[in-house]
Amino acid sequence: MSTPRQPRETRAGLEPLAVLPVFVPLQDKRAVLAGSNAGAPWKVKLLAAAGARVDVYAEEPSEELRGVPAEIAAGSVTLHERRWTPEDLHGAAFAIGAMEDEDDCIAFVAAARKAGAIVNAVDRPHLCDVKFGAIVNRSPLVVGISTEGAAPVFGQTVRARIEAMLPRGFKHWVGAARDWRETVSARFHGFSERRGFWERFTDRAFAEPDRAPTQADLDDLMGQAEVLPMGGAVTLVGAGPGDAELLTLKALRALRNADVILYDDLVAPEILDYARREARTMLVGKTGHGPSCRQDDINALMVSLAKTGKQVVRLKSGDPLVFGRAGEEIEACRLAGIPCTVVPGVSAAQGAAAALGVSLTHRDAARRLQFVTGHDRRGALPDDLNWGALADKSVTTVVYMPKRTLGALLERAITEGLAPTTPALVVFNATRPGQQTVAGTAADLAGKVEASGYEGPAILMVGEALGRREAGTALPGPELHAAAS
């Protein structure tokens, strides 16, 4: 018997960053730009748009640069038609060198740094403290995009896509959030209550993005305060079979509210990206036929965290109520007096069927759908399966965790009356980018699966409904067909 694994804390979130995205407040602060190359006018407009008082030093300003002071909508711009001096940089919070001459730019950068300013040099990344990226402006909602110079056109295309996704009316909603923040904080003292308010606020903004919010919205949203349990609580959340886009809205909300997330190996890593960055994530290692954390240890950890006042999410692959040991965890919470709720997820059976485009309950082939476990507590084929039900030709059977007992299960089902020619297939990594399918019949599928060498979470489907795909329609993704050797 393998040694049980222990729950261990993991670090969710950030992969390595090429640059650190930061936002610099420049309202009413002094900025300096020296030079008049082609990039200068746009940089001056950006500084002024951020509310800066911009002094521009250029011996021979271009006509475009001369016209900038008349075009700005915020901040101020003063044009000085002379060469810059080190004294011009005193008191500057931000400085931009826009010279054609490299040596002049190097001298400007050195003087600006000596004066304590943040420095950017147009078209000279090796001299920059910070660099400008593409910007989506829904101020006070601002999105910055950087490819670190690798693909500027790609960055601009991403900017255009985000522009199309963010209605211009969002600026009014984000402005209202800024104006209402103190009122909300005074009304809701607990973090969970405040977060609940802002989630309701966000839902309304996305539902009605093209209008400005009013006092009536604030009053209504304040009046919808949820009655939250005092202290800690546990939420069992179904993560679905793998594709993060199959998460429910309620699952997303639970992840955003969690203080601690206890997750299994089968949960797709990208799903953890939806959690709060501040949330602790702990791998509790429930995998089929491999080293796993003991269920009693998971229960104890879940309860102890909730008793300290934490909002705990127990994140499970698929649906927690379908062969997910949810009953044991719900009972542990009940015995400890911990509030426990369940957020269902898309089950592996649903995800696999949808990914393949097959109906599990085709009305011409199936009268019943049944879910069966492929092994018992010992990892062996269960002794108490209803073999008559498995052999019924009007049933679609979905077998969870079938890999270890696949051959024995299908052989016994055929012995008990299942037609050897019944369509059958195994789906590996359902809904994930690496999804693979082995298709055959009840008689030959086990051999095909063994020959495939495919790895990952698997699900078995057996039944006449699986043979009712449209003529000529292939299963999506890599597949081994019934005729394969």
Side-chain angles (χ1 to χ4, degrees):
M1 181 180 293
S2 60
T3 303
R5 295 166 68 180
Q6 293 299 313
R8 61 181 177 88
E9 191 153 354
T10 59
R11 293 285 180 181
L14 293 176
E15 297 290 329
L17 288 169
V19 292
L20 178 66
V22 296
F23 295 89
V24 181
L26 290 177
Q27 186 70 39
D28 296 325
K29 294 182 179 179
R30 185 165 179 265
V32 171
L33 181 140
S36 58
N37 66 15
W42 177 244
K43 294 298 194 293
V44 173
K45 292 178 184 179
L46 282 175
L47 293 172
R53 296 179 284 107
V54 189
D55 285 301
V56 180
Y57 298 91
E59 294 179 87
E60 297 181 1
S62 65
E63 288 303 312
E64 185 180 1
L65 187 57
R66 288 180 186 276
V68 168
E71 299 175 11
I72 63 171
S76 64
V77 176
T78 304
L79 178 60
H80 307 273
E81 295 191 35
R82 63 173 176 81
R83 190 182 187 283
W84 69 276
T85 67
E87 290 74 20
D88 295 327
L89 289 156
H90 291 168
F94 203 104
I96 297 179
M99 303 88 163
E100 297 291 350
D101 183 76
E102 173 87 2
D103 291 338
D104 191 20
C105 193
I106 291 172
F108 176 83
V109 167
R113 287 176 177 158
K114 186 175 181 180
I118 299 170
V119 182
N120 172 269
V122 178
D123 293 333
R124 291 183 173 88
H126 59 288
L127 298 178
C128 293
D129 294 334
V130 294
K131 302 169 188 176
F132 291 87
I135 295 173
V136 178
N137 185 10
R138 300 290 186 267
S139 188
L141 173 64
V142 178
V143 180
I145 302 159
S146 171
T147 63
E148 187 53 4
V153 173
F154 185 81
Q156 290 294 333
T157 302
V158 171
R159 178 199 60 77
R161 296 288 181 91
I162 295 176
E163 286 263 12
M165 291 170 57
L166 294 179
R168 293 193 173 275
F170 273 179
K171 63 184 299 181
H172 302 302
W173 286 91
V174 179
R178 175 191 58 205
D179 297 339
W180 295 351
R181 183 158 295 278
E182 282 191 24
T183 301
V184 173
S185 296
R187 166 72 180 276
F188 302 117
H189 300 293
F191 170 80
S192 295
E193 290 178 311
R194 289 196 301 274
R195 187 169 188 86
F197 171 88
W198 291 117
E199 285 181 344
R200 297 191 299 275
F201 172 92
T202 302
D203 289 342
R204 186 167 296 193
F206 273 87
E208 304 178 73
D210 297 323
R211 70 171 181 86
T214 65
Q215 181 65 37
D217 290 296
L218 176 59
D219 294 341
D220 185 39
L221 291 168
M222 296 273 266
Q224 294 179 26
E226 299 178 15
V227 179
L228 297 172
M230 298 299 293
V234 171
T235 306
L236 308 184
V237 175
D243 184 349
E245 292 187 351
L246 295 178
L247 284 172
T248 66
L249 292 176
K250 198 165 187 177
L252 287 172
R253 185 172 290 113
L255 287 172
R256 292 199 300 260
N257 283 332
D259 296 311
V260 185
I261 299 170
L262 310 180
Y263 68 99
D264 293 342
D265 290 270
L266 295 182
V267 172
E270 55 268 27
I271 288 174
L272 293 174
D273 291 340
Y274 290 98
R276 289 192 301 126
R277 295 301 180 196
E278 302 86 354
R280 292 171 60 194
T281 56
M282 300 186 72
L283 176 63
V284 293
K286 297 297 295 181
T287 57
H289 312 309
S292 297
C293 294
R294 296 188 306 177
Q295 187 63 51
D296 287 346
D297 292 339
I298 298 173
N299 294 349
L301 176 62
M302 184 176 64
V303 167
S304 66
L305 288 167
K307 283 186 174 180
T308 65
K310 303 296 185 184
Q311 298 296 314
V312 181
V313 161
R314 177 71 176 95
L315 188 62
K316 296 169 172 285
S317 180
D319 185 305
L321 302 175
V322 180
F323 299 118
R325 295 193 177 182
E328 297 169 54
E329 295 176 353
I330 293 170
E331 180 68 5
C333 291
R334 186 188 68 79
L335 292 174
I338 300 295
C340 181
T341 56
V342 180
V343 177
V346 174
S347 71
Q350 293 170 309
L356 298 177
V358 298
S359 171
L360 299 177
T361 56
H362 194 293
R363 64 179 180 174
D364 294 331
R367 294 290 179 268
R368 189 170 76 253
L369 172 64
Q370 59 188 6
F371 294 166
V372 177
T373 179
H375 63 78
D376 58 19
R377 287 178 177 268
R378 302 165 298 159
L381 186 67
D383 295 326
D384 55 356
L385 290 179
N386 186 335
W387 294 104
L390 266 68
D392 188 343
K393 67 179 182 179
S394 69
V395 172
T396 301
T397 301
V398 178
V399 183
Y400 284 73
M401 300 162 288
K403 288 193 290 185
R404 178 176 292 184
T405 61
L406 177 63
L409 187 149
L410 290 175
E411 182 179 357
R412 175 72 181 276
I414 291 172
T415 300
E416 297 288 346
L418 178 68
T421 57
T422 304
L425 54 86
V426 172
V427 184
F428 293 83
N429 303 299
T431 77
R432 305 184 189 211
Q435 176 177 307
Q436 296 164 309
T437 306
V438 181
T441 65
D444 63 17
L445 182 64
K448 294 179 183 298
V449 169
E450 184 175 358
S452 75
Y454 293 157
E455 296 292 338
I459 194 165
L460 166 67
M461 299 179 178
V462 182
E464 295 295 336
L466 303 176
R468 296 303 180 112
R469 300 193 306 275
E470 294 296 327
T473 300
L475 292 172
E479 177 190 5
L480 297 178
H481 292 279
S485 60

